[in-house]
Amino acid sequence: GAVVSQHPSRVICKSGTSVKIECRSLDFQATTMFWYRQFPKQSLMLMATSNEGSKATYEQGVEKDKFLINHASLTLSTLTVTSAHPEDSSFYICSAWAQETQYFGPGTRLLVL
Amino acid sequence: RKEVEQDPGPFNVPEGATVAFNCTYSNSASQSFFWYRQDCRKEPKLLMSVYSSGNEDGRFTAQLNRASQYISLLIRDSKLSDSATYLCVVNYDYKLSFGAGTTVTVRA
């Protein structure tokens, strides 16, 4: 299957700082990537759809100014959590479609102190 | 109402047992359906797609009933390595909706 990587795998930061998470499609090109968030014992929730060369589409209730998405190339999308607060602590996962299947990155575990 | 609802379990079964669980979805226009497996603190990984005719992949059998908007997964001859959370996933227009997952624990 297709491979999606994410970096970093985990990050601990102080409240008020910004954190950038990278998502890469390693063996295919992805004009669209997806960003999810998963809180403990809950399902994955789609935050936004990242579109190469254009603005991201955010789901209802997700602040676009807080979660900045950039999809500058066909293999890279970045999510920046700006001015992170403890309630932003979560498991962030990106994904992309390849061969009619959605493949997920390994996730980034964010802890905001 | 949640878009995808699953029995959360947990299902605790002995090795070799058969375990089955299901989910329901609310969007009748959903286009494709999947079961993903998620291990603790890891990303979801595709277990199998689900087709209207029903399909089997080794010890795993999936069924889809579009009329009832119901999807099922059956695991035969359970192995210890089958212990995981199984996510029912529904696609509409290339956006996936996830159930909260069914936890299965297989004991020796």
Side-chain angles (χ1 to χ4, degrees):
Chain A
V3 179
V4 176
S5 72
Q6 259 183 265
H7 177 80
S9 58
R10 62 177 62 211
V11 59
I12 301 173
C13 69
K14 291 182 180 179
S15 188
T17 59
S18 294
V19 175
K20 181 188 279 190
I21 303 170
E22 293 185 349
C23 176
R24 293 181 187 272
S25 56
L26 295 187
D27 50 358
F28 66 103
Q29 294 182 330
T31 54
T32 303
M33 291 183 174
F34 301 87
W35 287 97
Y36 295 86
R37 182 166 55 179
Q38 185 178 32
F39 292 106
K41 300 191 186 300
Q42 295 186 23
S43 60
L44 276 75
M45 296 299 297
L46 180 64
M47 297 176 67
T49 303
S50 171
N51 303 299
E52 188 267 335
S54 65
K55 290 182 180 179
T57 307
Y58 291 81
E59 296 301 302
Q60 192 173 12
V62 178
E63 299 175 58
K64 64 178 194 276
D65 294 329
K66 179 168 181 65
F67 298 99
L68 300 179
I69 291 173
N70 184 283
H71 195 150
S73 78
L74 288 171
T75 58
L76 173 65
S77 174
T78 60
L79 169 69
T80 301
V81 183
T82 61
S83 187
H85 288 97
E87 58 266 29
D88 298 323
S89 299
S90 189
F91 190 43
Y92 292 84
I93 311 175
C94 70
S95 71
W97 284 94
Q99 300 118 36
E100 297 298 312
T101 299
Q102 197 164 116
Y103 291 92
F104 290 85
T108 297
R109 203 160 292 279
L110 171 63
L111 176 61
V112 185
L113 302 175
Chain B
R1 184 186 171 189
K2 292 181 181 176
E3 291 188 44
V4 182
E5 301 218 41
Q6 278 185 257
D7 181 346
F11 289 83
N12 294 300
V13 300
E15 268 189 297
T18 295
V19 59
F21 44 88
N22 54 67
C23 81
T24 57
Y25 60 95
S26 60
N27 184 357
S28 59
S30 298
Q31 295 150 325
S32 52
F33 309 87
F34 309 88
W35 283 103
Y36 277 75
R37 169 193 171 127
Q38 187 173 27
D39 293 293
C40 188
R41 303 175 75 82
K42 300 278 190 180
E43 79 278 20
K45 292 191 175 174
L46 179 68
L47 179 67
M48 58 196 301
S49 301
V50 188
Y51 305 110
S52 297
S53 54
N55 51 300
E56 192 174 298
D57 183 358
R59 297 180 293 106
F60 298 85
T61 301
Q63 297 278 354
L64 166 64
N65 185 320
R66 280 189 183 266
S68 301
Q69 295 178 205
Y70 171 101
I71 306 163
S72 66
L73 181 66
L74 181 145
I75 307 173
R76 284 187 304 278
D77 188 24
S78 301
K79 311 290 184 192
L80 295 176
S81 57
D82 294 334
S83 297
T85 297
Y86 291 84
L87 305 176
C88 178
V89 183
V90 174
N91 166 47
Y92 174 70
D93 204 22
Y94 290 99
K95 281 189 180 179
L96 299 186
S97 296
F98 289 78
T102 297
T103 300
V104 174
T105 302
V106 182
R107 61 183 189 275

